[in-house]
Amino acid sequence: MKVHIIGGGNLGVAIAKGLSKFSQGNQITVTRRNTASILYLEQLGVTVSSDNTHQIQEADIIILTIKPYQVDTVLAEILPVISNKVIASAVSGLSIENLQNKIGDGNSAVRIMPNIASQFGASATCIAFHEKNKEKAQNTVALFKDLGTAPIIDEKLMDAATVLAASGTAFALRYIRASMQAGIEIGFDWQTALAISAQTVKGAAEMIMEEQIHPEQLIDRVTTPQGCTIAGLNEMEMHGFSSSLIRGIKTSLKQIKG
Ligand SMILES: NC(=O)C1=CN([C@@H]2O[C@H](COP(=O)(O)OP(=O)(O)OC[C@H]3O[C@@H](n4cnc5c(N)ncnc54)[C@H](OP(=O)(O)O)[C@@H]3O)[C@@H](O)[C@H]2O)C=CC1
Ligand SMILES: O=C(O)[C@@H]1CCC=N1
């Protein structure tokens, strides 16, 4: 497929790198105004351009990874030269209806919410579209399946998906950082503490995905009666571990909804 990514920043580059490594048979173009910092992508076979319309007529999918306030400017540039295109938008807060109104009936709006682990084929990319665009959205679904998981969700959950799956990457990294900091206090150098913390999180996530059971069932396998794990867990909960995470996620959601 010919994939045209507009907005070669944090997310756009992560998607381009992920596609170049984990998805076969695609031709990828990434655009941004100042291309100097992403020209290295050309070594991965990605075309880099400062022209948003560069060969856009040939694209099978146009992916928008720009900030919400940049959308109208970009659409004003590309709409005069495209027709019958799928535009997959990762722009947070931009509804399918709003995007569809902007791009007109001649093009099809799809909403996607990837995260930056797209770069490693490990994103949880939620996808939503209107029923009438179901057929046309299938290429987008296939593409993001190559970059991890790609659940199709009801659009009313898209803001929640943004917080859980996209912001969630930062939340998970904060857990790893805190674990590393504790690791230093109890005797490790930071590199060793970080490597142990990251691998432990990866292992826990792999168990959950493989066994598909409730986390508490796995936690029960770790907590020896009168042991150190339950003592630590209870102390963490006393200081609001779960509730602070839940409150943070709900606050992020309020921020998106405005
Ligand atoms: N970062 C993340 O983890 C996630 C982000 N999102 C959403 O994705 C979008 C992008 O986020 P993020 O990647 O972090 O933002 P960045 O600011 O890193 O990337 C946006 C990019 O768009 C480019 N850009 C701006 N104006 C134009 C234009 N007129 N034409 C072409 N390119 C342009 C900018 O480059 P230049 O100035 O050189 O043009 C910049 O590189 C946002 O809507 C965000 O909410 C969604 C999920 C996860
Ligand atoms: O922080 C943000 O607003 C964007 C959306 C999700 C990840 N980054």
Side-chain angles (χ1 to χ4, degrees):
M1 271 186 281
K2 290 184 177 158
V3 184
H4 190 94
I5 303 169
I6 299 182
N10 294 311
L11 183 61
V13 166
I15 293 171
K17 284 183 178 170
L19 290 176
S20 71
K21 191 164 177 191
F22 298 102
S23 185
Q24 307 305 316
N26 302 305
Q27 286 178 38
I28 305 151
T29 298
V30 182
T31 68
R32 63 180 289 173
R33 290 165 302 183
N34 310 298
T35 56
S37 64
I38 62 164
L39 282 175
Y40 69 94
L41 289 174
E42 296 193 330
Q43 287 160 14
L44 305 175
V46 173
T47 302
V48 173
S49 177
S50 58
D51 176 5
N52 288 331
T53 63
H54 178 75
Q55 296 187 339
I56 198 169
Q57 295 89 343
E58 292 164 31
D60 298 296
I61 300 177
I62 298 166
I63 297 177
L64 297 184
T65 48
I66 44 177
K67 299 270 170 61
Y69 60 84
Q70 293 159 339
V71 169
D72 287 343
T73 308
V74 165
L75 291 181
E77 271 179 64
I78 66 170
L79 286 178
V81 296
I82 61 168
S83 64
N84 200 22
K85 296 292 180 197
V86 171
I87 301 186
S89 161
V91 178
S92 62
L94 178 62
S95 70
I96 298 173
E97 189 182 3
N98 268 348
L99 180 60
Q100 192 65 62
N101 285 341
K102 288 175 191 287
I103 66 179
D105 287 342
N107 300 294
S108 308
V110 173
R111 209 168 155 193
I112 55 173
M113 194 44 64
N115 65 40
I116 55 169
S118 296
Q119 180 176 342
F120 302 98
S123 175
T125 307
C126 293
I127 302 182
F129 42 80
H130 287 168
E131 187 60 26
K132 70 178 165 74
N133 286 328
K134 192 175 175 182
E135 285 278 291
K136 291 192 167 154
Q138 293 316 306
N139 279 347
T140 308
V141 175
L143 207 64
F144 280 93
K145 275 189 177 165
D146 287 343
L147 299 186
T149 59
I152 295 165
I153 63 166
D154 195 318
E155 196 197 6
K156 68 175 189 284
L157 285 172
M158 211 42 158
D159 290 337
T162 307
V163 168
L164 212 57
S167 309
T169 306
F171 303 151
L173 288 166
R174 266 298 163 82
Y175 168 82
I176 293 173
R177 188 191 77 163
S179 174
M180 175 199 71
Q181 287 172 319
I184 299 167
E185 242 192 87
I186 61 177
F188 292 102
D189 60 80
W190 75 264
Q191 290 92 338
T192 308
L194 180 59
I196 293 171
S197 300
Q199 178 60 41
T200 302
V201 168
K202 188 178 179 196
E206 280 181 2
M207 285 192 291
I208 288 284
M209 288 191 287
E210 182 68 27
E211 298 204 23
Q212 299 201 353
I213 55 177
H214 194 287
E216 216 58 36
Q217 288 174 268
L218 289 167
I219 288 172
D220 189 51
R221 289 188 210 163
V222 187
T223 46
T224 306
Q226 288 191 320
C228 58
T229 311
I230 192 65
L233 279 175
N234 286 344
E235 181 71 9
M236 285 177 204
E237 291 304 347
M238 208 96 77
H239 290 280
F241 178 76
S242 296
S243 70
S244 87
L245 187 66
I246 293 163
R247 287 179 71 111
I249 288 171
K250 288 168 73 177
T251 300
S252 286
L253 185 60
K254 273 194 202 134
Q255 177 73 11
I256 292 189
K257 288 188 183 292

